[in-house]
Amino acid sequence: MTDLHTTNALRLLQVADDFRAGLSGEFSAVHGISVNEFFLLLHLERSAANRLPRVDLARRMHVSASTITRMAAPMEKVGLVDREVDERDARLVFVVATDAGRAKLSEALSTFSKRAGYLFDDRCDDEELDRFASILRRLIAGTGDTLA
Amino acid sequence: MTDLHTTNALRLLQVADDFRAGLSGEFSAVHGISVNEFFLLLHLERSAANRLPRVDLARRMHVSASTITRMAAPMEKVGLVDREVDERDARLVFVVATDAGRAKLSEALSTFSKRAGYLFDDRCDDEELDRFASILRRLIAGTGDTLA
DNA sequence: GCTATATGCTTGCAGACGCAAGCGAGTCGC
DNA sequence: GCGACTCGCTTGCGTCTGCAAGCATATAGC
């Protein structure tokens, strides 16, 4: 039908969509956050001092700067993140994870891991898992932001 | 940091997002369609008679029925798809690909394959590609709709 | 045949997002 | 210093999407 590259890309997108759709439901029901909010918190945790400028978050998350502004606002209200202005450069506004934010991330991450387990367990042995991770790592390379 | 299942799932989502973001720009610029419209056409092509009930499309594409309604309308206007009502059951409204729709899909698919080539080429050898495809196929299994 | 229920589709409304414009803050050249 | 440019953030507007309600059609029980 089509070449292997194409088939792999199609399957990749489909698996990712399926997984994300499953996550979305459980996240909003159990943790009260969206998948994007989860990733925002995760990016913060993986960063230097639990904080990132808004423009950095936007680039890492493949969303526009305005989306970060509008995502952060309600999260500040609920106390998941705080707002910090850089002392040197007043243009930079950091999104910083609060203790509550890190706790929420931790809960959500365990849900994430559980579903990741459902996805891979009984479908891959350990060696395949390693190879899979190795390939994915190379496919990410070039974007810069690691996250995993 | 975290177990391999989790790492793989995170990387999977990230690679898929990166790839989809890249596609999105080229699709709208070169072919004048969105990524979702591309997938709609692809699902039709992969189906029995180049046509599917709207509710089926919705399930396969992980979107709501209303989204299909609103996606199909402008595509009918442009002539990419047609509308057919089932003779036996007047509730079923099929979305059917026109010749123009299949041609558009063919163009877009070549763009898709090109980008899939960029993604995998020089990063995986043939054996890895096979293993990758094998794993992804198993990860999809269970949803029913194949697509690839 | 008639009512009750289920199914597929569409529409009103609200939420999330991108783009472009606007504003404040920093930097460079003079 | 001072103007011109750049950069980060926010806001207005249009688009896309999901959810819930409504409508039309089909099916089951009587």
Side-chain angles (χ1 to χ4, degrees), chain B residues 94-110:
Chain B
F94 287 89
V95 180
V96 46
T98 63
D99 289 345
R102 288 203 299 276
K104 178 68 77 179
L105 172 64
S106 175
E107 300 169 18
L109 200 50
S110 93

Side-chain angles (χ1 to χ4, degrees), chain A residues 6-51:
Chain A
T6 303
T7 302
N8 273 340
L10 284 172
R11 288 179 182 169
L12 186 74
L13 290 180
Q14 188 162 359
V15 172
D17 275 358
D18 289 358
F19 189 73
R20 180 183 278 265
L23 265 188
S24 179
E26 188 163 0
F27 269 8
S28 69
V30 177
H31 304 295
I33 61 174
S34 71
V35 176
N36 270 348
E37 287 171 334
F38 165 75
F39 277 114
L40 189 152
L41 289 173
L42 189 59
H43 276 288
L44 292 182
E45 172 118 322
R46 298 282 201 263
S47 70
N50 267 300
R51 57 176 218 168

Side-chain angles (χ1 to χ4, degrees), chain A residues 58-131:
Chain A
R59 272 191 284 264
R60 291 172 195 239
M61 296 179 64
H62 280 305
V63 298
S64 68
S66 52
T67 298
I68 299 295
T69 295
R70 290 177 169 120
M71 242 194 306
M75 293 177 77
E76 287 173 19
K77 235 173 204 169
V78 184
L80 294 175
V81 299
D82 259 344
R83 182 190 185 79
E84 280 182 14
V85 180
D86 190 299
E87 294 181 352
R88 315 278 179 181
D89 187 342
R91 290 173 306 179
L92 289 179
V93 183
F94 287 89
V95 181
V96 46
T98 62
D99 290 345
R102 287 203 300 277
K104 178 68 75 180
L105 173 63
S106 175
E107 299 168 20
L109 200 50
S110 94
T111 293
F112 185 98
S113 297
K114 187 191 65 181
R115 296 195 81 98
Y118 293 162
L119 180 63
F120 291 109
D121 228 12
D122 301 330
R123 293 207 181 92
C124 302
D125 57 36
D126 288 348
E127 190 204 343
E128 279 181 324
L129 232 47
D130 277 333
R131 287 175 175 276

Side-chain angles (χ1 to χ4, degrees), chain B residues 36 63-64 66-67 70 88-91:
Chain B
N36 271 348
V63 298
S64 67
S66 51
T67 297
R70 290 177 169 121
R88 315 279 179 180
D89 187 341
R91 291 173 306 179

Side-chain angles (χ1 to χ4, degrees), chain B residues 35-83:
Chain B
V35 176
N36 271 348
E37 287 171 334
F38 165 74
F39 276 113
L40 189 152
L41 290 172
L42 189 60
H43 276 288
L44 292 182
E45 172 117 323
R46 298 283 200 263
S47 71
N50 266 300
R51 57 176 217 168
L52 282 172
R54 296 162 119 74
V55 68
D56 269 26
L57 271 172
R59 273 192 283 264
R60 291 171 195 241
M61 295 180 63
H62 281 305
V63 298
S64 67
S66 51
T67 297
I68 299 295
T69 295
R70 290 177 169 121
M71 245 196 302
M75 294 178 77
E76 287 173 19
K77 233 172 205 169
V78 184
L80 294 176
V81 299
D82 258 345
R83 182 189 185 80

Side-chain angles (χ1 to χ4, degrees), chain B residues 1 8 12 15 17 27 57 61-62 67 73 82 85 140 147-148:
Chain B
M1 175 76 81
N8 273 339
L12 186 74
V15 172
D17 274 358
F27 269 7
L57 271 172
M61 295 180 63
H62 281 305
T67 297
D82 258 345
V85 180
I140 291 178
L147 191 60

